[in-house]
Amino acid sequence: MDYFLFRSAAKALASVLPGVKVRQVFQTEPLGVGLELVGGVLYFALDPSRAGIYWLKETTVPRKRHHFARYLESLLKGAVVEEVFQVPGERILRLELAKRDLVGRREAYTLVAEIMGRHSNLILLNAEGKILEAAKRIYRDMSRVREVLPGRSYTLPPPHNRVDPFTLNREAFLELLARDSQPIKSLARYALFPPYALKEMEYRLGAGTDGPALFLRCWEVWCTMAEQMEEGKGYLYRRDGRTEGVYPMPLKHLGEGEEGPLLPLLEASARDRWKREVLEGRRSRLLKVVRKELKKVGKILAILEREEDEAQAAERFKRWGDILLIYLSRIPPGAEEIEVEDPYQAGEKVKVPIPRGVTPSQAAQEYFRRYSKLKRKIQALATRKKELEAKREHLKELEWLLESARSLGELKAIREELVAEGLIKRDKKEVETEGPKVLPYRIFRSSRGSTILVGRHPRGNEEVTFKRSNRRDLWFHVRSYPGAHVVLKNPQPDPQEIQEAAALAACFSKARQSPAVDVDYTQRMHVRKIPKAAPGLVTYTHFSTIRVMPHVPPGVREED
């Protein structure tokens, strides 16, 4: 949370929080502390990647009862917020709270929220300014500048030596700009100016202004920006359906944004970002498991291939045994090797070793025994190799599904696959926060109104193919790539519907970035499960192939 946004949020909170009573205190992971107040939750995000202060109307994050939260609650439960203010020029918010003890005496506390990236902290002070406890204790060996420990007097963080532009009058602002030949660089170097505000100022300045006029124009633009921030509104900007950020003023260089009260927009933006972080975190952990197993399967296959090459010597042992029996009567006693005409290749000579201490007949039997053993090994290797290749294909499909998953529900379904296959253990303490249950398949309507089912994951593919379709429905799958099973529930579709279903099969596959993809389709009656294989692995016959561009065709709509 940058300085401009923090300042606007602090002003908004100062108008909301006074007079509100503390009900409960909790912690979250990553590190955050929430004060449940009458009317909402004041949430302090202290993790470096999400540091900020948010007024939440509802919380869905898992609550923890760690020491710091329990200690805060023991002192602050029932306390009323009397005053909220920002330390000038700092991203520090002070909450003055007070309550009455059992005998009616007033107890005053100050909660200091320092929102400074990786140095963010939440510190509780008593009426004398002594530290009672901190979310992050800072010892002398961690910082030579200041200690943050119970019993120490609270001191502000070291100064950052940057000017708060809101405190400057016209002359001081122009003097600040003159420190560098380029005014924007002066603001970036000497003032508390976030990068987006610098870009916005450049955009509003436009081209063509230079010299002293540029300095005066900068002052005019800054006055306009400051006035807009004093209004207390927020502006939310999205890109490709995802929240890009919330800002305390309109950013013309980003185009049109959603205008509204700052605190609700901050809450909406934070929820969207946290949801993405949870999604990406779970995706990353599951991908790590799948890729580790893929690497393991690849190593085993490489070993099997080497053993398969070695086992090809089986035919040689059979020939040696045959040759020894054919020439048995001509082999002199004690011979360790014979060189005779090869009965399998006319005109060729062959050498056959005879192990020391055995007769030629015993040597022949030993060669036959080795031959039989290697033949059995070859068959076992072939079976094992086939199983591992099927598993590798299944893991590649899971890898693609994890990469393309768009919701926690989809990740949950894939996680269940991994649990069922023994790749990860079921976490009995896992808190379910995915929300409504997601169907294992997507439902589309073709331009002619026919239903098209698209599997979301292996078990969803299996359900679409074998439980939700009729024998004569058309089944689609992209060729040579992992992808969704697609069923067009219309025994007699027209060519346009076939084209649309094939485009969806290509779109929901690993080949979705390709300009054109081959998609096979056949009647569902010609699709068969592979015995003992993982869910979703099938074979099919009597198919046709169509080449399409991966996309959701115009006129095709997805149903909720």
Side-chain angles (χ1 to χ4, degrees):
M1 185 175 275
D2 63 85
Y3 180 71
F4 283 6
L5 187 58
F6 184 91
R7 182 178 181 275
S8 297
K11 288 185 64 177
L13 289 170
S15 65
V16 172
L17 297 181
V20 177
K21 184 179 290 187
V22 178
R23 286 178 171 175
Q24 189 181 5
V25 183
F26 62 88
Q27 280 183 242
T28 65
E29 294 176 359
L31 182 58
V33 178
L35 263 63
E36 187 176 304
L37 308 172
V38 177
V41 171
L42 183 61
Y43 183 70
F44 303 93
L46 306 177
D47 186 70
S49 64
R50 53 169 71 175
I53 302 176
Y54 304 93
W55 177 241
L56 309 178
K57 288 300 182 181
E58 58 177 339
T59 56
T60 56
V61 291
R63 300 184 176 197
K64 307 290 184 181
R65 299 287 293 170
H66 296 311
H67 161 74
F68 183 62
R70 289 198 301 269
Y71 183 74
L72 282 186
E73 185 172 303
S74 69
L75 296 178
L76 299 183
K77 187 173 183 179
V80 175
V81 179
E82 294 186 335
E83 187 180 5
V84 178
F85 63 92
Q86 178 190 5
V87 176
E90 299 286 351
R91 286 180 292 171
I92 300 176
L93 189 73
R94 291 177 67 103
L95 277 75
E96 303 294 340
L97 304 103
K99 70 174 186 178
R100 298 285 177 179
D101 63 13
L102 295 175
V103 295
R105 290 176 299 187
R106 186 176 185 274
E107 294 179 345
Y109 301 97
T110 301
L111 194 60
V112 182
E114 301 177 349
I115 306 301
M116 304 179 297
R118 65 190 181 93
H119 300 295
S120 298
N121 207 346
L122 188 63
I123 305 166
L124 182 65
L125 313 179
N126 63 14
E128 290 76 39
K130 297 284 187 180
I131 297 173
L132 296 175
E133 189 55 282
K136 301 177 185 176
R137 291 186 178 185
I138 309 298
Y139 297 90
R140 177 63 63 185
D141 59 346
M142 298 168 66
S143 172
R144 290 178 293 178
V145 179
R146 66 168 184 161
E147 288 182 311
V148 180
L149 295 172
R152 299 284 196 275
S153 295
Y154 174 76
T155 57
L156 287 172
H160 46 64
N161 298 322
R162 291 196 174 197
V163 180
D164 180 358
F166 292 93
T167 63
L168 301 179
N169 58 23
R170 183 174 181 272
E171 290 71 23
F173 189 85
L174 293 176
E175 183 181 341
L176 176 71
L177 296 181
R179 294 187 185 183
D180 195 287
S181 58
Q182 298 182 37
I184 300 298
K185 286 188 176 180
S186 288
L187 291 175
R189 184 174 300 173
Y190 303 113
L192 290 167
F193 240 77
Y196 66 82
L198 295 171
K199 287 184 181 180
E200 181 64 13
M201 178 164 279
E202 283 185 311
Y203 184 86
R204 296 190 186 189
L205 286 171
T209 308
D210 204 359
L214 177 60
F215 288 74
L216 295 174
R217 178 66 180 145
C218 282
W219 168 250
E220 293 173 2
V221 170
W222 165 243
C223 288
T224 303
M225 292 167 66
E227 288 173 4
Q228 290 173 334
M229 283 186 274
E230 291 299 324
E231 293 175 1
K233 296 180 181 179
Y235 300 84
L236 186 147
Y237 292 87
R238 302 180 190 276
R239 178 181 294 177
D240 300 327
R242 296 175 62 176
T243 300
E244 187 169 306
V246 172
Y247 305 96
M249 61 180 174
L251 300 182
K252 297 181 179 180
H253 71 275
L254 292 181
E256 292 294 325
E258 179 184 337
E259 179 183 335
L262 178 62
L263 295 181
L265 288 182
L266 268 176
E267 178 181 6
S269 171
R271 288 189 187 283
D272 186 56
R273 186 173 69 254
W274 297 342
K275 187 177 179 180
R276 286 202 309 270
E277 287 174 1
V278 171
L279 182 72
E280 294 306 320
R282 294 191 185 182
R283 187 201 311 277
S284 176
R285 290 193 294 272
L286 294 177
L287 275 172
K288 185 177 180 180
V289 171
V290 171
R291 286 170 178 165
K292 181 180 179 181
E293 190 67 15
L294 263 173
K295 188 176 181 180
K296 178 180 173 182
V297 169
K299 286 182 177 179
I300 296 173
L301 278 171
I303 293 170
L304 291 182
E305 286 174 2
R306 288 197 298 270
E307 291 183 356
E308 203 172 37
D309 291 339
E310 294 170 2
Q312 297 306 320
E315 199 62 35
R316 182 183 60 185
F317 289 126
K318 181 177 180 296
R319 289 190 178 192
W320 284 357
D322 288 343
I323 292 170
L324 287 175
L325 292 180
I326 291 171
Y327 293 98
L328 188 60
S329 60
R330 304 183 193 178
I331 301 174
E336 294 183 358
E337 183 183 68
I338 62 169
E339 183 176 3
V340 295
E341 186 176 342
D342 190 345
Y344 293 97
Q345 293 182 344
E348 295 289 331
K349 293 284 188 177
V350 62
K351 291 182 178 181
V352 179
I354 302 173
R356 184 176 297 178
V358 298
T359 65
S361 177
Q362 291 171 334
Q365 296 304 317
E366 176 62 21
Y367 287 141
F368 287 140
R369 189 189 65 78
R370 291 190 194 179
Y371 166 74
S372 297
K373 183 178 179 180
L374 287 175
K375 287 296 285 184
R376 290 193 300 272
K377 184 177 181 180
I378 289 173
Q379 292 173 355
L381 287 173
T383 301
R384 179 65 175 145
K385 188 177 177 183
K386 188 175 180 180
E387 291 172 354
L388 286 170
E389 285 173 346
K391 184 176 182 179
R392 181 168 60 182
E393 291 305 310
H394 176 60
L395 289 170
K396 285 182 178 179
E397 183 170 5
L398 287 176
E399 181 184 35
W400 164 72
L401 287 168
L402 286 169
E403 291 170 346
S404 59
R406 298 184 294 185
S407 70
L408 291 173
E410 292 178 50
L411 289 181
K412 179 188 174 185
I414 299 169
R415 189 180 190 282
E416 288 298 319
E417 295 274 346
L418 298 177
V419 170
E421 293 172 23
L423 295 181
I424 55 177
K425 294 181 180 179
R426 189 181 301 279
D427 187 358
K428 295 180 180 179
K429 297 181 181 179
E430 183 179 5
V431 178
E432 300 294 344
T433 58
E434 289 81 358
K437 194 171 183 178
V438 179
L439 282 174
Y441 49 85
R442 296 179 175 89
I443 304 174
F444 289 86
R445 291 287 177 187
S446 72
S447 58
R448 303 298 175 87
S450 297
T451 300
I452 304 174
L453 304 179
V454 181
R456 293 181 186 269
H457 43 74
R459 293 190 185 277
N461 286 338
E462 190 168 273
E463 182 164 341
V464 162
T465 302
F466 298 108
K467 295 181 181 179
R468 303 294 174 183
S469 62
N470 298 319
R471 284 171 50 80
R472 297 191 180 279
D473 289 337
L474 285 186
W475 179 90
F476 297 77
H477 195 281
V478 69
R479 175 181 286 187
S480 303
Y481 288 95
H485 292 198
V486 176
V487 169
L488 174 57
K489 293 188 68 59
N490 184 349
Q492 296 179 331
D494 59 27
Q496 183 175 341
E497 287 186 314
I498 292 176
Q499 189 87 15
E500 290 169 351
L504 288 175
C507 181
F508 291 96
S509 75
K510 198 169 185 176
R512 63 188 179 278
Q513 302 296 335
S514 304
V517 181
D518 287 332
V519 175
D520 295 335
Y521 65 96
T522 184
Q523 286 187 315
R524 213 284 295 157
M525 69 175 75
H526 301 305
V527 182
R528 296 284 183 272
K529 289 183 182 180
I530 298 176
K532 298 182 181 180
L537 294 181
V538 299
T539 59
Y540 55 91
T541 57
H542 301 81
F543 60 88
S544 302
T545 303
I546 183 172
R547 193 166 182 80
V548 295
M549 180 180 72
H551 70 301
V552 177
V556 175
R557 67 184 189 280
E558 184 174 1
E559 296 187 347
D560 295 332

